[in-house]
Amino acid sequence: MAKYINTEGPCYPQQHYMVNLDKRIQEMLLEYEQDYDTGMDIHEMTEFLFSYTSGYPFLVSRI
């Protein structure tokens, strides 16, 4: 079975490649920061979320 890039749903390592979502997480946080002006460190929070979810798109989207 050929592997493909999965950006939605659960990840099955036998079928999917992991996707680096750093840029997408950062865009999401920038939009949130513009709306709510929390003063968070976008770069630090992006690294934390990516590390916390291991880059799984489903987990990132649930946060």
Side-chain angles (χ1 to χ4, degrees), residues 26-53:
Q26 187 173 28
E27 290 169 359
M28 175 189 68
L29 292 175
L30 283 170
E31 183 178 327
Y32 186 88
E33 181 62 25
Q34 289 171 351
D35 291 344
Y36 296 100
D37 195 26
T38 64
M40 78 172 113
D41 183 335
I42 302 292
H43 179 72
E44 183 178 334
M45 188 58 72
T46 299
E47 289 179 356
F48 171 76
L49 287 175
F50 187 79
S51 173
Y52 184 74
T53 62

